[in-house]
Coordinates of all heavy atoms in Angstrom, one line a residue:
G7 N 0.8 -1.2 0.0 CA 0.0 0.0 0.0 C 0.8 1.3 0.0 O 0.5 2.3 -0.6
R8 N 2.0 1.2 0.6 CA 2.9 2.4 0.7 C 3.6 2.5 -0.6 O 4.1 3.6 -1.0 CB 3.8 2.3 1.8 CG 3.1 2.5 3.2 CD 4.1 2.2 4.4 NE 3.4 2.4 5.6 CZ 3.9 2.1 6.8 NH1 5.1 1.5 6.9 NH2 3.3 2.4 7.9
Q9 N 3.8 1.4 -1.4 CA 4.6 1.5 -2.6 C 3.7 1.7 -3.8 O 4.2 2.3 -4.8 CB 5.4 0.2 -2.7 CG 6.4 0.0 -1.6 CD 7.4 1.1 -1.4 OE1 7.9 1.7 -2.3 NE2 7.7 1.4 -0.1
A10 N 2.5 1.2 -3.8 CA 1.6 1.3 -4.9 C 0.2 1.6 -4.5 O -0.5 0.8 -4.0 CB 1.6 0.0 -5.7
D11 N -0.2 2.9 -4.6 CA -1.5 3.4 -4.1 C -2.5 3.2 -5.2 O -2.5 3.8 -6.3 CB -1.4 4.9 -3.8 CG -2.6 5.3 -3.0 OD1 -3.6 4.7 -3.1 OD2 -2.4 6.3 -2.2
H12 N -3.5 2.3 -4.9 CA -4.5 1.9 -5.9 C -5.4 3.1 -6.3 O -6.0 3.1 -7.3 CB -5.4 0.7 -5.4 CG -6.2 0.0 -6.4 ND1 -7.4 0.5 -6.8 CD2 -5.9 -1.1 -7.1 CE1 -7.9 -0.4 -7.7 NE2 -7.0 -1.3 -7.9
R13 N -5.5 4.1 -5.4 CA -6.4 5.2 -5.6 C -5.9 6.0 -6.8 O -6.7 6.7 -7.5 CB -6.4 6.1 -4.4 CG -7.1 5.4 -3.2 CD -7.0 6.2 -1.9 NE -5.6 6.5 -1.5 CZ -5.2 7.1 -0.4 NH1 -6.1 7.6 0.4 NH2 -3.9 7.3 -0.1
I14 N -4.6 6.1 -7.1 CA -4.0 6.8 -8.2 C -4.5 6.1 -9.5 O -4.9 6.8 -10.5 CB -2.5 6.9 -8.1 CG1 -2.1 7.6 -6.8 CG2 -1.9 7.5 -9.4 CD1 -0.6 7.7 -6.6
L15 N -4.5 4.8 -9.5 CA -5.0 4.1 -10.7 C -6.5 4.4 -10.9 O -6.9 4.5 -12.1 CB -4.7 2.6 -10.6 CG -3.3 2.2 -10.4 CD1 -3.2 0.6 -10.2 CD2 -2.4 2.6 -11.6
E16 N -7.2 4.4 -9.9 CA -8.7 4.7 -10.0 C -8.9 6.1 -10.6 O -9.7 6.3 -11.5 CB -9.3 4.7 -8.6 CG -9.6 3.4 -8.0 CD -10.2 3.5 -6.6 OE1 -10.4 4.7 -6.2 OE2 -10.5 2.5 -6.0
A17 N -8.1 7.1 -10.1 CA -8.3 8.4 -10.6 C -8.0 8.5 -12.1 O -8.6 9.2 -12.9 CB -7.3 9.4 -9.9
L18 N -7.0 7.7 -12.6 CA -6.6 7.7 -14.0 C -7.7 7.1 -14.8 O -8.0 7.5 -16.0 CB -5.3 7.0 -14.2 CG -4.0 7.7 -13.6 CD1 -2.8 6.7 -13.8 CD2 -3.8 9.0 -14.3
A19 N -8.3 6.1 -14.3 CA -9.4 5.3 -15.0 C -10.7 6.0 -14.9 O -11.6 5.8 -15.8 CB -9.5 3.9 -14.5
A20 N -11.0 6.8 -13.9 CA -12.3 7.3 -13.7 C -12.7 8.4 -14.6 O -13.9 8.7 -14.9 CB -12.4 7.8 -12.2
G21 N -11.8 9.1 -15.2 CA -12.1 10.2 -16.1 C -12.4 11.5 -15.4 O -11.8 11.7 -14.3
P22 N -13.2 12.4 -16.0 CA -13.4 13.7 -15.4 C -14.0 13.6 -14.0 O -14.8 12.7 -13.7 CB -14.4 14.3 -16.4 CG -14.3 13.6 -17.7 CD -13.9 12.2 -17.2
I23 N -13.7 14.6 -13.2 CA -14.3 14.6 -11.8 C -15.8 14.9 -11.9 O -16.3 15.8 -12.7 CB -13.6 15.7 -11.0 CG1 -12.1 15.3 -10.7 CG2 -14.3 16.0 -9.8 CD1 -11.3 16.3 -10.0
E24 N -16.5 14.1 -11.2 CA -18.0 14.3 -11.2 C -18.5 14.2 -9.8 O -18.0 13.5 -8.9 CB -18.6 13.2 -12.0 CG -18.4 11.8 -11.5 CD -19.1 10.7 -12.4 OE1 -20.2 11.0 -12.9 OE2 -18.6 9.6 -12.5
T25 N -19.7 14.8 -9.6 CA -20.4 14.7 -8.3 C -21.8 14.0 -8.7 O -22.2 14.0 -9.9 CB -20.7 16.0 -7.7 OG1 -21.4 16.9 -8.6 CG2 -19.4 16.7 -7.3
Y26 N -22.4 13.4 -7.7 CA -23.7 12.7 -7.9 C -24.8 13.5 -7.4 O -24.8 13.8 -6.2 CB -23.6 11.3 -7.3 CG -22.4 10.5 -7.8 CD1 -21.2 10.6 -7.1 CD2 -22.4 9.8 -8.9 CE1 -20.1 9.9 -7.5 CE2 -21.3 9.1 -9.4 CZ -20.1 9.1 -8.7 OH -19.0 8.5 -9.1
D27 N -25.7 13.9 -8.3 CA -26.7 14.9 -7.9 C -28.0 14.2 -7.5 O -28.7 13.5 -8.2 CB -27.0 15.8 -9.2 CG -27.8 17.0 -8.8 OD1 -28.3 17.1 -7.7 OD2 -27.8 18.0 -9.6
Y28 N -28.4 14.5 -6.2 CA -29.6 14.0 -5.6 C -30.4 15.2 -5.1 O -31.2 15.0 -4.2 CB -29.4 13.0 -4.5 CG -28.7 11.7 -5.0 CD1 -27.4 11.5 -5.0 CD2 -29.5 10.6 -5.3 CE1 -26.8 10.3 -5.5 CE2 -29.0 9.4 -5.7 CZ -27.6 9.3 -5.8 OH -27.0 8.1 -6.2
S29 N -30.2 16.3 -5.6 CA -30.8 17.6 -5.1 C -32.2 17.9 -5.6 O -32.8 18.9 -5.2 CB -29.8 18.7 -5.3 OG -29.7 19.0 -6.7
A30 N -32.7 17.1 -6.5 CA -34.0 17.5 -7.2 C -35.2 17.4 -6.3 O -36.1 18.2 -6.4 CB -34.2 16.6 -8.4
G31 N -35.2 16.5 -5.3 CA -36.3 16.3 -4.5 C -36.4 17.3 -3.4 O -35.5 18.0 -3.1
D32 N -37.6 17.3 -2.8 CA -37.8 18.2 -1.6 C -37.4 17.6 -0.3 O -37.0 18.3 0.6 CB -39.3 18.6 -1.6 CG -39.6 19.7 -0.6 OD1 -38.8 20.7 -0.6 OD2 -40.6 19.7 0.2
T33 N -37.3 16.3 -0.3 CA -36.8 15.6 0.9 C -35.9 14.5 0.4 O -35.9 14.1 -0.7 CB -38.0 14.9 1.7 OG1 -38.7 14.0 0.9 CG2 -39.0 16.0 2.2
F34 N -35.1 13.9 1.4 CA -34.1 12.9 1.0 C -33.8 12.1 2.2 O -33.6 12.7 3.3 CB -32.9 13.5 0.4 CG -31.9 12.5 -0.1 CD1 -32.1 12.0 -1.4 CD2 -30.8 12.1 0.6 CE1 -31.2 11.1 -1.9 CE2 -29.9 11.2 0.1 CZ -30.1 10.7 -1.2
T35 N -33.7 10.8 2.1 CA -33.4 9.9 3.2 C -32.2 9.0 2.7 O -32.2 8.5 1.6 CB -34.6 9.0 3.5 OG1 -35.7 9.8 3.9 CG2 -34.2 8.1 4.7
F36 N -31.2 8.8 3.6 CA -30.1 7.9 3.3 C -29.7 7.2 4.6 O -29.9 7.7 5.7 CB -28.9 8.5 2.6 CG -28.1 9.4 3.5 CD1 -27.0 9.0 4.1 CD2 -28.4 10.8 3.6 CE1 -26.1 9.8 4.9 CE2 -27.6 11.6 4.4 CZ -26.5 11.1 5.0
D37 N -29.2 6.0 4.5 CA -28.8 5.2 5.6 C -27.2 5.1 5.7 O -26.6 5.1 4.6 CB -29.3 3.8 5.5 CG -30.8 3.7 5.6 OD1 -31.4 4.5 6.4 OD2 -31.5 2.9 4.9
Y38 N -26.7 5.1 6.9 CA -25.3 5.0 7.1 C -25.0 3.8 8.0 O -25.6 3.6 9.1 CB -24.8 6.2 7.8 CG -23.3 6.1 8.2 CD1 -22.3 6.5 7.3 CD2 -22.9 5.7 9.5 CE1 -20.9 6.4 7.6 CE2 -21.6 5.6 9.8 CZ -20.6 5.9 8.9 OH -19.3 5.8 9.2
V39 N -24.2 2.8 7.5 CA -23.8 1.7 8.3 C -22.3 1.4 8.1 O -21.8 1.6 7.0 CB -24.7 0.4 7.9 CG1 -24.4 0.0 6.5 CG2 -24.4 -0.7 8.9
A40 N -21.6 1.0 9.1 CA -20.2 0.8 9.1 C -19.8 -0.4 9.8 O -20.5 -0.8 10.8 CB -19.4 2.1 9.6
D41 N -18.6 -1.0 9.5 CA -18.1 -2.2 10.1 C -19.0 -3.3 10.1 O -19.5 -3.9 11.1 CB -17.7 -1.8 11.6 CG -16.7 -0.7 11.6 OD1 -15.5 -1.0 11.5 OD2 -17.1 0.5 11.8
T42 N -19.3 -3.7 8.9 CA -20.2 -4.8 8.6 C -19.5 -6.1 8.3 O -18.3 -6.2 8.5 CB -21.1 -4.4 7.4 OG1 -20.2 -4.1 6.3 CG2 -22.0 -3.3 7.7
G43 N -20.1 -7.1 7.7 CA -19.5 -8.2 7.1 C -18.7 -9.1 8.1 O -17.6 -9.5 7.8
D44 N -19.3 -9.5 9.2 CA -18.6 -10.4 10.1 C -19.5 -11.6 10.3 O -19.7 -12.4 9.3 CB -18.3 -9.7 11.5 CG -17.3 -10.5 12.3 OD1 -17.1 -11.7 12.0 OD2 -16.8 -9.9 13.3
G45 N -20.1 -11.8 11.4 CA -21.0 -13.0 11.6 C -22.3 -12.8 10.8 O -22.8 -11.7 10.6
W46 N -22.9 -13.9 10.4 CA -24.1 -13.9 9.6 C -25.2 -13.2 10.4 O -25.9 -12.3 9.9 CB -24.5 -15.3 9.2 CG -25.9 -15.3 8.6 CD1 -27.1 -15.4 9.3 CD2 -26.2 -15.1 7.2 NE1 -28.2 -15.3 8.4 CE2 -27.6 -15.1 7.1 CE3 -25.5 -14.9 6.1 CZ2 -28.3 -14.9 5.9 CZ3 -26.1 -14.7 4.9 CH2 -27.5 -14.7 4.8
D47 N -25.5 -13.7 11.7 CA -26.6 -13.2 12.4 C -26.6 -11.7 12.6 O -27.6 -11.0 12.4 CB -26.7 -13.9 13.8 CG -27.0 -15.4 13.7 OD1 -27.7 -15.7 12.7 OD2 -26.6 -16.2 14.5
S48 N -25.4 -11.2 13.0 CA -25.3 -9.7 13.3 C -25.4 -8.9 12.0 O -26.1 -7.9 11.9 CB -24.0 -9.4 14.0 OG -22.9 -9.9 13.2
T49 N -24.8 -9.4 10.9 CA -24.8 -8.6 9.6 C -26.2 -8.7 9.0 O -26.7 -7.7 8.5 CB -23.8 -9.2 8.7 OG1 -22.5 -9.1 9.3 CG2 -23.8 -8.4 7.4
Y50 N -26.8 -9.9 9.1 CA -28.1 -10.0 8.4 C -29.2 -9.3 9.2 O -30.2 -8.8 8.7 CB -28.5 -11.5 8.3 CG -29.8 -11.6 7.5 CD1 -29.9 -11.3 6.1 CD2 -31.0 -12.1 8.1 CE1 -31.1 -11.4 5.4 CE2 -32.2 -12.2 7.4 CZ -32.2 -11.8 6.1 OH -33.4 -11.9 5.4
T51 N -29.1 -9.2 10.5 CA -30.1 -8.4 11.3 C -30.1 -7.0 10.8 O -31.2 -6.4 10.7 CB -29.7 -8.5 12.8 OG1 -29.8 -9.8 13.3 CG2 -30.6 -7.6 13.6

């Protein structure tokens, strides 16, 4: 990771810088979850 940063390759392949526009609606809902993918029961719950 210190010798070859994969993010630089992503930037070269991704093309022009873009943002993702979700501003058209009057309301908006999104979910945030972190540190997933361990035991089945906890992740599936």
